[in-house]
Amino acid sequence: MYQLHNPAQDVKTPVLFFTGKGGVGKTSVACATAVSLADQGKKVLLVSTDPASNLQDVFGVELSNNPIEIPGVENLNACNIDPEEAAIAYREKTVGPYRGKLPESVVNQMEEQLSGACTVEIAAFDEFSHLLADESILKQFDHVLFDTAPTGHTLRLLSLPTAWSGFLEESTHGASCLGPLSGLGDKKDMYGKAVQALSDSEKTTLMLVARPEESTLFEANRASSELREVGIQNQMLIINGLLQSHDSNDEVAIAFYESQQDALSQIPEELKPINTLSLPYVPYSLTGIDSLRQLVSDHPFVDRGNNNEDIELNQLAYLQDVIDDFSDRNTRVIFTMGKGGVGKTSVATNIAVGLSEKGHKVHLTTTDPASHLDYMFKNSDVEENLSISSIDPEIEVENYKKEVISAAGELGESELAYLKEDLESPCTDEIAVFRAFADVVARSENEIIVIDTAPTGHTLLLLDSSEAYHKEMSRSTGSTPESVKALLPRLRNPEETEVVIVTLAEATPVFESTRLQEDLRRAQIAPKWWVINRSLSAAGTDDKVLKVRASSEKQWINKVENELAERCAIIPWTKEANLNNDSKITQS
């Protein structure tokens, strides 16, 4: 069992960066650490740059980009830098000078190029670079904590000399982050100081936050490797939400505990040398000063009560109802969408199996071919109606990169280095995989196509704009295959295509799924079904810790059903190894 995180003993540097996959509890860990340090008499500034930040919900105060004192915690100041707002200002600064000088369609294209995740991250980095490079801040505070760290991709981009050259304005090869970087202007020195501070082990510690789940440990390992590459060597891993004990007579509790232990037994080798601590899985919500203090105290397990008992939930649909709906309406193309770790693959798999069992000819396309698919061929009836193709993202991305580099023509050594780094963007992965999906759909006219992992609305608009506008006037994705051109109108046709948004009954996944839905609507795609996956509330546990946690899901289930989704289904929590039984369980 890992030693519990004790900020008084564990924090050795003035600057801390918290990073990890969405939903792992970065904000909770950062807030609890900040409160503990402040309680020791340290002057602390807590800064959130998370687009889905619930920092003000945790502390119960309104926050802005100007630090304020947190009531009830002497020595603690906090601010909430909204990177979405920063990105809007950043975008306008870049695009504004061209309004009225270029055709409206071209200006719209430029704005869309600056609407993606790369722009948000660079704008956020721009904001906290002011804090990180300002020596007066470190003189005013003993510790500065950042909730959400920049990725290695962004830091490498900012360190490349070509990012600051005329190549940025002149190139039309269309890689995904050139647009966002075009507004950097004269900030090279400030960014240089910020990157230098990040790589100073005497000044900065990277706090990798993960849950005892395979996907979040994999993400922590990826972030660790990326950030080591740019010189951030001082790292610490915190396993958040580790179940310390469980009811040995409760099947759900047994499976929950065993699934965590299974994940920890497979922790990536590269993470094992890193100093690893844990925080317990607790029954109370981590909002309010008292709860944060308790989490990192000597007695973190005391039940603090539950404010959700009076929330009455309606009987929600099950996954079988989703399958029946698609079958009755003869939906031809089905995408499962959602952030990493919410269970898109298992939902896509069960929809495909369910439709094939109802007699439909189904083709399942996935980027995760090894996880839960073998069982589907055990039943000859299913095998007859169901075919599977797997897409290797690494191969598709590599082929796409070669295509873009070839199309760029003759480049100098530094320009080629910049282009190669630019193509490390997550946007590149998404576009490359989507093109492969489009090829599958194009040759499968006589089957229902179920697609695991879909592009964001931002990527769809980029692909669309590369068809609609002159390439020499834009920074789009270059030439667009006919299969992609044909699929875009198909995606926007609700009679033919459905998008299923998969989420968990927790704050961050719900917030992120909300933004995803807004993104899709901007691309003229209206999701109908939301699926709340792995719900403890629906699992019926009697374990004292899990039961209280299940009750805390109610506010998020209620929000999805009543505010966000046109139709909503729920899947009970099951051990990961048994996810292939979801379609059966949800009929009960």
Side-chain angles (χ1 to χ4, degrees):
M1 191 65 70
Y2 299 104
Q3 181 178 341
L4 292 175
H5 174 41
N6 182 340
Q9 298 176 2
D10 304 330
V11 175
K12 308 292 186 183
T13 60
V15 178
L16 302 177
F17 273 93
F18 293 81
T19 190
K21 195 178 183 73
V24 297
K26 293 187 299 292
T27 298
S28 299
V29 175
C31 288
T33 302
V35 170
S36 178
L37 292 172
D39 285 345
Q40 299 165 41
K42 305 289 187 180
K43 296 283 187 181
V44 180
L45 173 62
L46 175 60
V47 183
S48 175
T49 58
D50 188 341
S53 173
N54 59 341
L55 202 63
Q56 51 199 27
D57 297 325
V58 173
F59 288 122
V61 294
E62 288 296 320
L63 296 172
S64 68
N65 58 351
N66 295 312
I68 65 167
E69 295 180 358
I70 299 300
V73 189
E74 191 176 352
N75 301 317
L76 176 59
N77 286 256
C79 61
N80 200 13
I81 296 174
D82 186 339
E84 300 283 2
E85 289 186 9
I88 291 171
Y90 187 91
R91 186 160 57 242
E92 183 55 33
K93 179 182 177 183
T94 305
V95 177
Y98 298 99
R99 296 188 192 281
K101 298 178 181 179
L102 293 177
E104 184 179 355
S105 62
V106 175
V107 173
N108 290 341
Q109 159 67 8
M110 293 172 67
E111 288 182 326
E112 183 53 45
Q113 177 66 48
L114 291 166
S115 294
C118 296
T119 303
V120 174
E121 185 175 309
I122 290 169
F125 187 71
D126 182 55
E127 290 290 330
F128 65 59
S129 288
H130 291 282
L131 298 172
L132 200 58
D134 188 345
E135 288 295 332
S136 66
I137 295 291
L138 292 180
K139 291 178 181 178
Q140 184 179 350
F141 295 99
D142 297 303
H143 297 285
V144 181
L145 281 62
F146 290 95
D147 173 19
T148 299
T151 67
H153 166 63
T154 292
L155 295 177
R156 285 196 304 270
L157 272 178
L158 295 174
S159 67
L160 285 169
T162 310
W164 308 94
S165 74
F167 173 67
L168 193 67
E169 284 75 34
E170 296 167 7
S171 174
T172 59
H173 65 75
S176 52
C177 281
L178 284 180
L181 284 173
S182 63
L184 293 177
D186 57 356
K187 297 182 178 179
K188 182 177 180 180
D189 290 341
M190 183 183 73
Y191 285 3
K193 289 180 181 178
V195 173
Q196 185 178 15
L198 277 166
S199 59
D200 185 344
S201 295
E202 297 296 317
K203 183 176 288 186
T204 301
T205 302
L206 180 72
M207 310 291 280
L208 301 157
V209 184
R211 289 193 185 275
E213 300 168 2
E214 188 176 348
S215 64
T216 72
L217 290 166
F218 174 82
E219 176 66 17
N221 185 51
R222 185 197 61 76
S224 173
S225 299
E226 269 199 0
L227 292 165
R228 275 200 306 271
E229 287 178 8
V230 293
I232 303 176
Q233 304 292 335
N234 188 15
Q235 301 182 4
M236 184 177 295
L237 174 63
I238 296 180
I239 307 294
N240 187 33
L242 186 58
L243 192 64
Q244 306 292 311
S245 62
H246 64 284
D247 184 343
S248 59
N249 296 315
D250 187 274
E251 291 184 4
V252 172
I254 294 169
F256 194 94
Y257 178 81
E258 290 179 348
S259 70
Q260 289 195 343
Q261 295 303 310
D262 289 346
L264 293 174
S265 71
Q266 301 176 56
I267 191 168
E269 288 294 325
E270 297 87 345
L271 287 180
K272 290 181 178 179
I274 296 176
N275 183 23
T276 302
L277 305 166
S278 69
L279 283 169
Y281 191 93
V282 294
Y284 47 88
S285 174
L286 290 172
T287 55
I289 304 301
D290 292 340
S291 293
L292 295 170
R293 284 190 172 119
Q294 186 174 332
L295 178 65
V296 291
S297 73
D298 295 332
H299 307 285
F301 307 108
V302 177
D303 183 2
R304 302 191 58 82
N306 192 338
N307 296 324
N308 295 312
E309 289 293 348
D310 57 346
I311 297 178
E312 293 293 334
L313 297 177
N314 297 320
Q315 178 64 52
L316 296 181
Y318 290 119
L319 192 58
Q320 187 61 48
D321 298 302
V322 180
I323 294 167
D324 291 344
D325 180 51
F326 291 155
S327 176
D328 293 343
R329 293 191 292 119
N330 195 31
T331 304
R332 306 309 298 169
V333 181
I334 301 164
F335 283 89
T336 57
M337 298 186 67
K339 296 301 180 180
V342 297
K344 295 186 298 293
T345 300
S346 65
V347 172
T349 299
N350 280 284
I351 289 173
V353 171
L355 288 169
S356 67
E357 289 176 341
K358 294 175 77 69
H360 297 280
K361 193 172 183 181
V362 181
H363 185 81
L364 171 64
T365 302
T366 179
T367 56
D368 190 14
S371 54
H372 310 300
L373 303 184
D374 290 344
Y375 80 96
M376 293 189 293
F377 294 98
K378 294 178 181 178
N379 184 309
S380 59
D381 293 334
V382 172
E383 184 177 352
E384 181 181 349
N385 294 324
L386 179 63
S387 60
I388 297 172
S389 65
S390 60
I391 291 171
D392 188 325
E394 291 186 6
I395 293 175
E396 298 298 335
V397 170
E398 190 60 33
N399 289 340
Y400 178 71
K401 289 177 181 177
K402 289 178 180 177
E403 180 184 328
V404 172
I405 290 172
S406 175
E410 292 290 330
L411 296 175
E413 184 177 344
S414 63
E415 294 170 346
L416 181 61
Y418 179 86
L419 176 54
K420 287 181 176 179
E421 176 55 43
D422 186 51
L423 286 168
E424 294 299 314
S425 161
C427 302
T428 299
D429 294 14
E430 195 174 78
I431 291 169
V433 171
F434 179 56
R435 296 197 328 168
F437 280 143
D439 290 340
V440 172
V441 173
R443 67 173 190 259
S444 303
E445 292 292 331
N446 299 317
E447 299 171 296
I448 293 177
I449 311 300
V450 181
I451 303 177
D452 163 36
T453 302
T456 64
H458 166 64
T459 297
L460 293 174
L461 284 170
L462 279 179
L463 290 166
D464 193 25
S465 64
S466 67
E467 173 188 355
Y469 303 125
H470 297 295
K471 296 182 184 66
E472 67 272 17
M473 301 295 287
S474 69
R475 297 183 184 275
S476 62
T477 57
S479 60
T480 308
E482 289 300 320
S483 59
V484 173
K485 294 180 182 179
L487 187 54
L488 287 169
R490 201 171 182 181
L491 274 171
R492 290 169 172 151
N493 180 4
E495 300 299 319
E496 190 172 11
T497 300
E498 283 284 359
V499 171
V500 178
I501 292 182
V502 185
T503 189
L504 304 177
E506 300 173 10
T508 299
V510 170
F511 287 141
E512 291 181 340
S513 295
T514 302
R515 289 201 307 277
L516 175 61
Q517 179 163 265
E518 292 169 353
D519 204 20
L520 287 168
R521 286 174 173 167
R522 196 159 53 89
Q524 301 171 43
I525 298 169
K528 178 181 178 182
W529 281 100
W530 281 50
V531 173
I532 299 171
N533 198 20
R534 299 206 296 267
S535 169
L536 284 170
S537 176
T541 178
D542 288 321
D543 181 88
K544 63 179 182 180
V545 173
L546 298 185
K547 189 173 183 178
V548 178
R549 178 57 73 93
S551 184
S552 71
E553 293 182 351
K554 289 183 177 181
Q555 62 174 313
W556 303 110
I557 296 172
N558 189 59
K559 183 178 182 66
V560 170
E561 181 192 11
N562 295 314
E563 298 179 28
L564 300 172
E566 182 178 334
R567 298 190 67 182
C568 178
I570 194 164
I571 298 176
W573 187 93
T574 61
K575 189 176 180 181
E576 287 291 331
N578 296 322
L579 277 175
N580 55 329
N581 294 320
D582 279 354
S583 61
K584 303 297 186 295
I585 292 171
T586 54
Q587 297 176 53
S588 61

